[in-house]
Structure formats: structure tokens, C-alpha cells
Amino acid sequence: MTMAMDAAAMDAAELPATPCVVVDHGRLEANLRRVQAIADTNGVRLRPHVKTHKSVRIAGMQVAGGAVGITAAKPGEALVFVEAGIRSVTVAYPVVDPDRIDGLLAAGRERGAELRFIADHPDGVAALAAAARRHGVSLPVLMKVDVGLHRIGVDPDGPAALDVAGRIAAGPDLVFAGLIAHAGHAYGASGPSAAADVAEAERLCLLGVADRLARAGLRVDEISVGSTPTVLAQRDFTGLTEIRPGNYVFLDLTAVRLGVATLDDVALSVHATVVGCTDRHAIVDAGSKVLSSDLGPHGTTGVSGFGRAFPAGGPFSGDGLVVEKLSEEHGFVRLAGAPIERGTRLAIVPNHSCVVANLATELVVMDGQGAWPVDARARVR
């Protein structure tokens, strides 16, 4: 594998010191258009999850392209986007302490933003109701349903589904907005067909819960689903009203492994410089503090290495070289032939772009776009 950089492909002004997280602007735009087209074609709303990029600039591109709003992971993360002018935000994380959303509710009221929350337990319903009363607002709440990830969410077949939905609908401070789910276990699928099977099982599960609630007198106006693999592989959107993928903006080796994307679709890479060479490895200046030690979403197993390295400035062609191991500041790129000269710049496609973006303070966006801040970085509360 030749590791010479194509100097003509990258302007010197676009080459900051390494390591840095680089985004291909053209691929980013193509990924945004692809999923918006899926939403438009199938008559569902797109409310992308911003935990992947945490960038106000990219969220603005998503909304300008047709998204109805955004999904955020934590109240502090949501606050960044509300203050930046996003008018509709779902906080897709269970609230158990009403104090945690005080700042967000105040900002939402001041800026006229719609804020939506989720609940999967009576304690969460009570916390949201207490916060709503304190701020004199009525909060839309979606009930989270466990469709197979077994992380949070009510059992779709158990009594909790009727209980939690009934509690949301019963009080004057909350409005039952519908159902929400995340089929994150699709990241463990063997390929696009298996991911599509997970998506269909999620859809049928939620329609079944909606039918149970309707028979109990609770109207379900919204059914919201998320995850990039399921959205990209979904065969049938009937009955769904909203999709919430996040990773699709950048994609990564996980999406490639699942067969829902190709390397030509991946918009994010980590640029690193070879600083040393052994008989087995090229040593680069990007370690776990940049690439993360994540093998993929939701504890992915069976993955070889921590990324694939390619010549910077060129296409991601072939299999690349495996980033075999990491220390904090160094990556060990397994050689497949001759040593790589010190000073050579590599582009590493990571296993999981979401964590890589969160570790960066800025995204170096190619095609003359400059550096975009990761505005909601480290907003973990």
C-alpha cells in the first residue's frame, strides 16, 4: 500500500497540526441529503440526534435541509442548541431530577422553543411534572419503549406501558405525545438485511403498543424511532411518524461493516502524522485521547483494531492499514510491507465517529470551510 500523500488534493491552508478531526464537506452534505430524502419519500419527519456532531453549524444545515428539529442526549447539550436558535428539541434521556432541566426550561420559554422529553418510569413522570409546575409550562412527553436493546424503556408487553402512559396523560402539567424507541441493538447486526429485520421488529412492536394504548383510551399521535442502521436499512415506514438517526452525518467503520454505507460515504477521519516506525508498526501521533478506544456503539465486539489508516488527501481505497493498538498519545498502525516514512500524514477512519467528534474541540472541514467548533462538547449533564 502506497502511503504518499497527494499534495494536489489538499491545500496547505487546510493542513493544521495533527492530530485533528477532519470532515469532508461534500460527503457531509451528501449524507444529510440522503437521509432527508428517506424521510421525505416515506412521509416521516426527520429529527436527527446531534450527539454525533454536537455542532451548531451542522444542526443548522440539518434544519435548513428539512429536519423539524433535533434530538439531544442531555439537558446541557440541548441547552446549547436552544440558545443557538433551534426551535424544537427532544431530550431523549430519562429525567429523574427536576432540577436538572431548570436552565433548559427557562431558556426554552425565553426563546419560544418547543421542548419535548421522554419517560419510562413513574419517577420520571413525577420529575417532569414537578419541573413543569415550577416553570408554569406544559411539557410534551413521549413514553420510551424497550424494543430490544434492554437499556431503558418500558416492557412493551407488560403493565408498565399502560401505567406510565396513563400517568403522563393524567396530569395537567404533561401532555402524552406518543411513543419513542431506539433499536441500538441493530449495531450488532450481521449486515443490512439483519438490520432491516431489527427495524421491522421495532416498527411492529411500537404499533402493537400503540394499539394497546388506543384500546385503553390513550391516543398515540407520534411514533418516533432512531438509529442510523435501522433508518438506512428500513424496508417499511408504515405507521411511523418520525426518525432520529445521528451517526449518518459522518458514518464510520461500523456503518461500513454493517453494509449500510461504503468507505466513499464516510465524512469524518482523524488525520495523524507518522512519528516513528518499528519493524511491525508505523507509530502515529493519534492515540486513545483522539481516536478513543471504542470498538463501536453499544459495546460492539469482534472488531479488529481501532480504525483503518489511508493516505491523507486521497480516497479511502482498499482495506487500509489496521490501527492495531493504542496508547494515550500514540497509535500503532500495522505495516503491510515497507516501512512508512516519518512525517507521512495518514487519514484514519474510526470505528465510531460519535465519540471521536466529542473528543475534539473543533472539526476541520475541508473544501475551504475552515474549523467548526464542537459546540456541545463535554456537555454530559
Side-chain angles (χ1 to χ4, degrees), residues 254-328:
T254 299
V256 174
R257 176 184 60 79
L258 287 169
V260 296
T262 69
L263 281 170
D264 289 336
D265 299 316
V266 177
L268 179 144
S269 61
V270 172
H271 279 212
T273 300
V274 176
V275 296
C277 203
T278 71
D279 59 345
R280 296 186 62 188
H281 297 101
I283 310 301
V284 298
D285 60 354
S288 62
K289 289 180 177 178
V290 180
L291 286 167
S292 90
S293 54
D294 202 338
L295 298 178
H298 304 297
T300 305
T301 59
V303 175
S304 173
F306 300 94
R308 297 283 174 138
F310 301 87
F316 301 146
S317 59
D319 294 330
L321 299 178
V322 177
V323 182
E324 195 168 57
K325 57 181 180 177
L326 301 173
S327 55
E328 289 183 48

Side-chain angles (χ1 to χ4, degrees), residues 205-290:
C205 175
L206 291 172
L207 291 178
V209 175
D211 182 63
R212 284 183 65 202
L213 295 179
R215 285 186 276 110
L218 290 171
R219 177 177 166 179
V220 177
D221 290 325
E222 182 167 336
I223 298 180
S224 176
V225 299
S227 113
T228 290
T230 51
V231 166
L232 294 182
Q234 189 107 24
R235 304 185 190 103
D236 187 352
F237 289 82
T238 303
L240 305 179
T241 63
E242 181 180 271
I243 55 174
R244 308 181 327 278
N247 180 266
Y248 78 97
V249 298
F250 297 144
L251 301 169
D252 48 31
L253 287 182
T254 299
V256 174
R257 176 184 60 79
L258 287 169
V260 296
T262 69
L263 281 170
D264 289 336
D265 299 316
V266 177
L268 179 144
S269 61
V270 172
H271 279 212
T273 300
V274 176
V275 296
C277 203
T278 71
D279 59 345
R280 296 186 62 188
H281 297 101
I283 310 301
V284 298
D285 60 354
S288 62
K289 289 180 177 178
V290 180

Side-chain angles (χ1 to χ4, degrees), residues 33-377:
R33 289 193 299 269
R34 176 187 181 186
V35 170
Q36 186 63 59
I38 290 173
D40 294 343
T41 299
N42 291 283
V44 295
R45 296 184 294 273
L46 173 63
R47 184 182 294 272
H49 209 311
V50 297
K51 68 179 178 63
T52 295
H53 56 74
K54 297 198 173 186
S55 162
V56 167
R57 183 80 171 264
I58 296 176
M61 293 171 67
Q62 291 171 308
V63 172
V68 298
I70 65 165
T71 305
K74 302 290 179 66
E77 182 179 285
L79 180 60
V80 171
F81 293 92
V82 169
E83 291 180 337
I86 298 295
R87 300 297 300 273
S88 181
V89 180
T90 295
V91 180
Y93 207 87
V95 174
V96 296
D97 178 359
D99 296 344
R100 288 276 301 276
I101 59 173
D102 277 339
L104 178 59
L105 292 182
R109 185 175 56 203
E110 177 184 346
R111 295 173 180 269
E114 176 193 36
L115 297 174
R116 299 148 31 110
F117 295 87
I118 72 166
D120 69 342
H121 190 276
D123 291 349
V125 176
L128 289 170
R133 283 194 299 273
R134 191 157 61 209
H135 288 266
V137 296
S138 180
L139 297 179
V141 180
L142 298 109
M143 183 174 69
K144 182 67 176 280
V145 178
D146 179 8
V147 293
L149 181 59
H150 306 316
R151 185 174 61 184
I152 61 170
V154 299
D155 179 349
D157 300 314
L162 293 175
D163 178 45
V164 172
R167 288 172 185 264
I168 296 169
D173 306 299
L174 306 178
V175 176
F176 178 59
L179 305 177
I180 189 169
H182 171 61
H185 50 301
Y187 281 101
S190 58
S193 179
D197 290 343
V198 172
E200 179 64 359
E202 175 187 43
R203 185 182 74 88
L204 294 176
C205 175
L206 291 172
L207 291 178
V209 175
D211 182 63
R212 284 183 65 202
L213 295 179
R215 285 186 276 110
L218 290 171
R219 177 177 166 179
V220 177
D221 290 325
E222 182 167 336
I223 298 180
S224 176
V225 299
S227 113
T228 290
T230 51
V231 166
L232 294 182
Q234 189 107 24
R235 304 185 190 103
D236 187 352
F237 289 82
T238 303
L240 305 179
T241 63
E242 181 180 271
I243 55 174
R244 308 181 327 278
N247 180 266
Y248 78 97
V249 298
F250 297 144
L251 301 169
D252 48 31
L253 287 182
T254 299
V256 174
R257 176 184 60 79
L258 287 169
V260 296
T262 69
L263 281 170
D264 289 336
D265 299 316
V266 177
L268 179 144
S269 61
V270 172
H271 279 212
T273 300
V274 176
V275 296
C277 203
T278 71
D279 59 345
R280 296 186 62 188
H281 297 101
I283 310 301
V284 298
D285 60 354
S288 62
K289 289 180 177 178
V290 180
L291 286 167
S292 90
S293 54
D294 202 338
L295 298 178
H298 304 297
T300 305
T301 59
V303 175
S304 173
F306 300 94
R308 297 283 174 138
F310 301 87
F316 301 146
S317 59
D319 294 330
L321 299 178
V322 177
V323 182
E324 195 168 57
K325 57 181 180 177
L326 301 173
S327 55
E328 289 183 48
E329 309 290 352
H330 300 84
F332 293 68
V333 179
R334 187 76 163 88
L335 295 174
I340 302 174
E341 292 184 6
R342 289 170 175 80
T344 300
R345 192 178 178 107
L346 306 180
I348 300 170
V349 178
N351 290 328
H352 191 185
S353 62
C354 303
V355 281
V356 170
N358 184 61
L359 290 171
T361 57
E362 64 182 19
L363 305 172
V364 179
V365 186
M366 304 304 288
D367 308 318
Q369 296 295 315
W372 296 358
V374 183
D375 304 275
R377 177 182 183 267

